[in-house]
Amino acid sequence: MRLSLLAACLSLAFTCHAQAPQAAQRLAKQAIIVDTHIDAPTRLLEHWADLDRAQPDREFDYAKARRGGLDVAFMSIYTSPAQDADGSAWQVANTMIDAVQALVQRHPDQFALLTSPRDAARLRQGGRVLLPLGMENGAPLGDDLGNVKFFFDRGVRYITLAHSAANRIADSSYAADKTWNGLSPFGRQVVAEMNRLGMMVDVSHLGDASALEAIQLSKVPVIASHSAFRHFTPGFERNISDEIAKAVAARGGVIQVPFGTGFISPDAAADMQAFFRARQAFNQHNAELQAQGKPPLDRAAFDRDWAPKHPPRTSTLAQVLDQIDYGVKLVGIDHIGIGSDFDGVDGELAEGLTSAADYPNLVAGLQARGYADADIRKILGGNLLRVWGEIEAGAGH
């Protein structure tokens, strides 16, 4: 395909559904692609599927990963604020880790667990897709600092300190009212212990004050595992501000750009912010009703009422490329990567980036915008592997 035609397809956000040019497919296969956020474990617990083969209802499986050139897929060990509140987060996290281990044990020729970037080249031999673990929400730690090492020993290599509500560690970006206005005393201990072990501190999802304190406190670089830039979604604290992005980069870290519509579309981001705040207000009202001995309102009814008033939005590959362009100009080519959120956003993804088979489309878009192949390799995974190695090397200091 001539470059002019490719550019036309990109401007239409791949509505023409063109296959990526051979040059893009070739680079996607040759480069090491690292995606720091894939929610396959949540889907495995909802309904098991052997991901060694194509699964039409999954955005990540072995067939799609190999077609797209994906080499390192961080499996998200996600627990919700509700599971934190009812005390089940520890059990859910361990069950998810068991599920990933079972997947690897059932299909050792297709998958391997990855706990150090030093092992990536060896374990990739034979075409395996490598599965490191990232914990989304520090809730499973409870209030026991020893659980940081417990989960490190189970293979977890980053922790997103909080998710959509404040926990014992930090504030969430979604809540208007902050609990800690930074890290909690326990949260400071958690960051220090993660540094000691060589575990990546992830500031995605955090309120600004919590993110800044984590960055300042950490003795090694930190990451944002799946954060778009707030420049495009003003007022949406879930996306990373210029100030925080510069702070991450100044310490040598990396910002991983997601593909989810809710992060890259201004309208969808506004809807998401409104949803989380409305749901928190609903939960607070229910707590007050229960304290008064009154029956709670129906949570399912809240969700049913919300959905028709806020229909799904759409987003484009061009918007993801705009995010990357902005990040590179803001903090430099050495501090940008990718964290798709596949299997985690109910299919609401940028057109042209809807599964693990589609990384060549991203490569084609970057090539069309003039990025050198060496710089594309950095964005696809080189930057994250470098940062992970630096964090690992800093362990024990």
Side-chain angles (χ1 to χ4, degrees):
M1 185 184 293
R2 296 194 305 272
L3 188 61
S4 59
L5 179 55
L6 172 60
C9 284
L10 292 171
S11 69
L12 293 172
F14 266 81
T15 54
C16 52
H17 298 287
Q19 186 178 38
Q22 286 296 318
Q25 294 184 50
R26 185 166 55 250
L27 181 56
K29 292 293 175 64
Q30 292 173 349
I32 298 179
I33 298 181
V34 181
D35 189 323
T36 47
H37 199 83
I38 295 177
D39 278 290
T42 296
R43 300 296 311 281
L44 288 175
L45 262 61
E46 292 171 350
H47 183 77
W48 179 269
D50 272 328
L51 300 181
D52 67 313
R53 66 202 72 171
Q55 298 289 351
D57 66 336
R58 306 298 165 100
E59 291 155 10
F60 167 82
D61 57 43
Y62 183 79
K64 295 182 184 73
R66 287 293 77 203
R67 192 158 71 249
L70 177 62
D71 300 285
V72 180
F74 274 81
M75 298 286 97
S76 177
I77 307 303
Y78 165 70
T79 56
S80 69
Q83 290 163 339
D84 190 10
D86 68 18
S88 65
W90 189 88
Q91 179 66 33
V92 171
N94 278 286
T95 305
M96 284 188 179
I97 294 170
D98 289 345
V100 176
Q101 290 178 336
L103 182 66
V104 171
Q105 289 168 2
R106 288 166 68 91
H107 309 292
D109 293 336
Q110 285 77 39
F111 300 108
L113 297 171
L114 181 66
T115 58
S116 170
R118 294 174 297 177
D119 297 329
R122 174 177 59 84
L123 292 174
R124 284 176 60 225
Q125 293 178 10
R128 294 184 189 89
V129 176
L130 309 185
L131 307 179
L133 305 177
M135 178 178 283
E136 187 179 25
N137 193 358
L141 303 180
D143 54 9
D144 184 352
L145 190 63
N147 277 332
V148 180
K149 187 174 188 302
F150 172 84
F151 283 111
F152 181 86
D153 290 343
R154 294 222 62 193
V156 172
R157 286 302 179 268
Y158 76 68
I159 297 177
T160 314
L161 299 182
H163 189 254
S164 55
N167 59 19
R168 297 170 183 83
I169 300 169
D171 290 324
S172 167
S173 59
Y174 289 118
D177 298 324
K178 307 304 184 189
T179 299
W180 304 109
N181 292 306
L183 299 177
S184 70
F186 179 63
R188 297 182 192 106
Q189 292 179 306
V190 167
V191 169
E193 179 68 354
M194 291 173 71
N195 283 178
R196 186 186 73 81
L197 294 169
M199 186 187 290
M200 292 177 276
V201 174
D202 177 21
V203 299
S204 288
H205 279 287
L206 299 191
D208 285 356
S210 294
L212 284 169
E213 185 170 1
I215 295 164
Q216 292 161 0
L217 182 63
S218 179
K219 296 179 180 178
V220 291
V222 308
I223 69 167
S225 66
H226 58 308
S227 287
F229 288 93
R230 198 179 305 169
H231 169 81
F232 297 95
T233 57
F236 185 46
E237 192 176 0
R238 167 63 181 85
N239 278 343
I240 196 165
S241 70
D242 286 6
E243 177 190 10
I244 295 173
K246 289 177 180 178
V248 169
R251 298 297 303 275
V254 63
I255 298 113
Q256 306 285 105
V257 174
F259 305 159
T261 297
F263 307 118
I264 61 174
S265 160
D267 291 338
D271 285 348
M272 190 186 302
Q273 182 82 295
F275 171 78
F276 277 107
R277 292 194 173 171
R279 192 171 69 178
Q280 286 165 1
F282 176 87
N283 291 340
Q284 178 62 36
H285 183 53
N286 261 355
E288 293 169 357
L289 289 175
Q290 290 177 303
Q292 296 166 12
K294 299 178 181 178
L297 301 175
D298 182 7
R299 167 68 179 274
F302 170 84
D303 291 338
R304 286 195 302 271
D305 290 344
W306 182 272
K309 298 174 184 175
H310 301 84
R313 308 282 187 170
T314 60
S315 61
T316 67
L317 171 59
Q319 286 175 296
V320 175
L321 296 169
D322 289 345
Q323 292 275 346
I324 292 172
D325 281 347
Y326 184 80
V328 168
K329 291 174 183 175
L330 182 70
V331 298
I333 193 69
D334 294 323
H335 304 286
I336 300 297
I338 53 174
S340 64
D341 220 341
F342 286 144
D343 286 315
V345 290
D346 296 325
E348 295 184 16
L349 292 152
E351 188 171 0
L353 293 173
T354 58
S355 82
D358 290 338
Y359 300 100
N361 294 343
L362 180 70
V363 173
L366 292 169
Q367 289 175 329
R369 292 198 177 192
Y371 285 83
D373 284 0
D375 286 340
I376 295 173
R377 287 174 181 267
K378 290 182 178 183
I379 293 168
L380 292 178
N383 289 336
L384 188 283
L385 291 176
R386 183 199 75 244
V387 171
W388 186 5
E390 290 173 1
I391 293 168
E392 186 179 82
H397 299 295

